Amino acid sequence: MKVLVATEKPFSKVAVDGIKKIVEEAGYTFAALEKYTAVSELLDAVKDADALIVRSDKVTKEVIDAARNLKIVVRAGAGYDNIDLKACTEKGIVAMNTPGQNSNAVAELALCFMIYMSRNQLTPGTGSELKGKTLGIQAYGNVGRLVASHAKGFGMKIMAFDPFVPAETIEKDGVTVAKDLNELYSKSDFISLHIPATEQTKGSIGYQLLKQMPKGGCLVNTARKEVINEDELVKVLEEREDLKYITDIAATNQAVLDEKFGKRVFATPKKMGAETAEANINAGLAAASQIVRFFKEGCTKFQVNK
Ligand code: 3PG
């Protein structure tokens, strides 16, 4: 049984060593394809793999078709929008994620982003503090909850909107429940996005919501660039010279944003939400353990293509 770790953006060495140990102790063969630059390398590497661990690597139909022995693919992370679930299901391949394993790293980055923008991207000049500001959390899942908890330490007022989480669950954390997105956006100095990229959410954050933000409002995106309507983002940033946007996933039109809006926008050069040793270890080792449990016990907990 061959387990392939295919990561264009590699895990830390300690995480790779941990994955290898779990795989080999289970009696399987470990293989790694790291920092690949061409899809052809991935297509070649997956040919004889029985199990595949990826990060944001695109597991397309082409990859699935090339992987003749594949039985399971685990996205070591939360968002599985990079995996063609239909292609997996058609071939009887189980697809999983590792929910919660890298959430704290992403949550800490969201707070880091808020401070970074409040302090003029660490350039000279008078900034502002998070204390007393209102943070609106859009989607109260694993990351959203941690952002709320960390933001409390900064003395922020916290509001959240998530139609899939009962109001009592949110309120138990001392977080105010917004009745809808209009209330969330109109009352929040910062909006932190934690929605997945789905057919429903893609392009859903745009002019109508952002124009409602209070003066000096800042949109913090550690989710996915696809959820932003980029043309409308440009429009609102043009109209509202006080608004700011910071993102862990460069927008498709990031060059336009940078040129037009300068220090009011910022994008990380490469997605770094889950780029901590801890998150790599948590998500990587969880992925390896899930594969072993799948083969040895038939465990399909965390399957996302049921
Ligand atoms: C996730 O969905 O878990 C994060 O976006 C992490 O992505 P990465 O593994 O590519 O850093």
Side-chain angles (χ1 to χ4, degrees), residues 9 55-56 75-79 102 224 271 274:
K9 184 176 65 182
R55 296 185 65 179
S56 289
R75 193 282 189 240
N102 58 19
R224 291 287 184 269
K271 188 159 72 149

Side-chain angles (χ1 to χ4, degrees), residues 219-291:
L219 177 65
V220 176
N221 186 7
T222 54
R224 291 287 184 269
K225 70 173 180 182
E226 287 82 3
V227 302
I228 306 288
N229 181 323
E230 294 187 7
D231 291 340
E232 294 189 20
L233 175 68
V234 170
K235 180 171 146 80
V236 79
L237 288 172
E238 270 169 351
E239 266 182 35
R240 290 274 310 273
E241 288 187 6
D242 56 304
L243 293 184
K244 297 177 197 147
Y245 178 57
I246 181 162
T247 177
D248 188 26
I249 317 93
T252 308
N253 65 0
Q254 193 64 42
V256 176
L257 292 175
D258 289 341
E259 196 198 314
K260 276 181 176 276
F261 307 112
K263 287 239 174 295
R264 290 168 55 208
V265 297
F266 179 84
T268 49
K270 199 161 174 89
K271 188 159 72 149
M272 60 186 305
E275 279 296 77
T276 64
E278 294 88 341
N280 278 193
I281 293 167
N282 292 344
L285 271 53
S289 303
Q290 286 172 216
I291 287 170

Side-chain angles (χ1 to χ4, degrees), residues 1 3 22-23 26 28 51 72 74 94 96-99 101 282-303:
M1 206 75 82
V3 179
I22 292 171
V23 168
Y28 306 147
I72 177 168
V74 182
V94 168
M96 293 185 187
N97 66 348
T98 63
Q101 299 292 349
N282 292 344
L285 271 53
S289 303
Q290 286 172 216
I291 287 170
V292 172
R293 280 202 302 276
F294 171 72
F295 284 134
K296 300 228 184 260
E297 302 158 24
C299 177
T300 54
K301 193 175 173 189
F302 306 121
Q303 183 174 355

Side-chain angles (χ1 to χ4, degrees), residues 69-90:
N69 295 341
L70 196 64
K71 293 144 194 87
I72 177 168
V73 50
V74 182
R75 193 282 189 240
Y80 46 87
D81 46 311
N82 53 322
I83 298 177
D84 187 333
L85 294 185
K86 189 164 165 279
C88 287
T89 307
E90 275 166 11

Side-chain angles (χ1 to χ4, degrees), residues 11-299:
F11 288 119
S12 61
K13 184 176 176 327
V14 60
V16 177
D17 290 347
I19 295 170
K20 188 167 185 284
K21 189 163 180 278
I22 292 171
V23 168
E24 290 181 344
E25 276 178 5
Y28 306 147
T29 306
F30 171 87
L33 172 71
E34 294 182 319
K35 294 187 187 172
Y36 59 93
T37 49
V39 177
S40 56
E41 293 176 67
L42 177 59
L43 295 177
D44 194 46
V46 293
K47 262 193 224 150
D48 58 349
D50 298 275
L52 176 62
I53 297 175
V54 292
R55 296 185 65 179
S56 289
D57 308 78
K58 291 201 177 1
V59 183
T60 59
K61 182 166 173 5
E62 193 186 13
V63 174
I64 296 295
D65 286 344
R68 292 189 292 266
N69 295 341
L70 196 64
K71 293 144 194 87
I72 177 168
V73 50
V74 182
R75 193 282 189 240
Y80 46 87
D81 46 311
N82 53 322
I83 298 177
D84 187 333
L85 294 185
K86 189 164 165 279
C88 287
T89 307
E90 275 166 11
K91 289 261 165 101
I93 295 166
V94 168
M96 293 185 187
N97 66 348
T98 63
Q101 299 292 349
N102 58 19
S103 302
N104 187 63
V106 180
E108 285 189 13
L109 187 72
L111 267 298
C112 162
F113 275 5
M114 290 177 222
I115 295 173
Y116 190 60
M117 292 308 266
S118 299
R119 296 300 183 97
N120 308 316
Q121 299 187 21
L122 307 186
T123 56
T126 307
S128 56
E129 300 179 16
L130 299 189
K131 189 176 177 184
K133 304 291 186 304
T134 300
L135 166 63
I137 298 175
Q138 185 172 349
Y140 204 70
N142 289 318
V143 183
R145 273 199 297 277
L146 285 165
V147 169
S149 152
H150 298 336
K152 256 188 234 164
F154 283 94
M156 299 184 87
K157 297 174 209 149
I158 303 151
M159 185 174 253
F161 178 75
D162 191 328
F164 304 104
V165 177
E168 313 84 71
T169 306
I170 299 175
E171 280 160 356
K172 246 193 349 235
D173 293 345
V175 173
T176 305
V177 176
K179 69 173 188 300
D180 55 23
L181 284 178
N182 292 328
E183 184 180 21
L184 191 79
Y185 277 71
S186 63
K187 291 189 173 164
S188 300
D189 301 298
F190 295 88
I191 291 285
S192 195
L193 298 175
H194 303 293
I195 47 177
T198 64
E199 285 322 306
Q200 290 73 41
T201 63
K202 282 181 188 168
S204 64
I205 311 301
Y207 183 80
Q208 190 273 336
L209 289 173
L210 295 169
K211 72 169 187 198
Q212 302 185 53
M213 289 190 77
K215 192 167 175 355
C218 180
L219 177 65
V220 176
N221 186 7
T222 54
R224 291 287 184 269
K225 70 173 180 182
E226 287 82 3
V227 302
I228 306 288
N229 181 323
E230 294 187 7
D231 291 340
E232 294 189 20
L233 175 68
V234 170
K235 180 171 146 80
V236 79
L237 288 172
E238 270 169 351
E239 266 182 35
R240 290 274 310 273
E241 288 187 6
D242 56 304
L243 293 184
K244 297 177 197 147
Y245 178 57
I246 181 162
T247 177
D248 188 26
I249 317 93
T252 308
N253 65 0
Q254 193 64 42
V256 176
L257 292 175
D258 289 341
E259 196 198 314
K260 276 181 176 276
F261 307 112
K263 287 239 174 295
R264 290 168 55 208
V265 297
F266 179 84
T268 49
K270 199 161 174 89
K271 188 159 72 149
M272 60 186 305
E275 279 296 77
T276 64
E278 294 88 341
N280 278 193
I281 293 167
N282 292 344
L285 271 53
S289 303
Q290 286 172 216
I291 287 170
V292 172
R293 280 202 302 276
F294 171 72
F295 284 134
K296 300 228 184 260
E297 302 158 24
C299 177

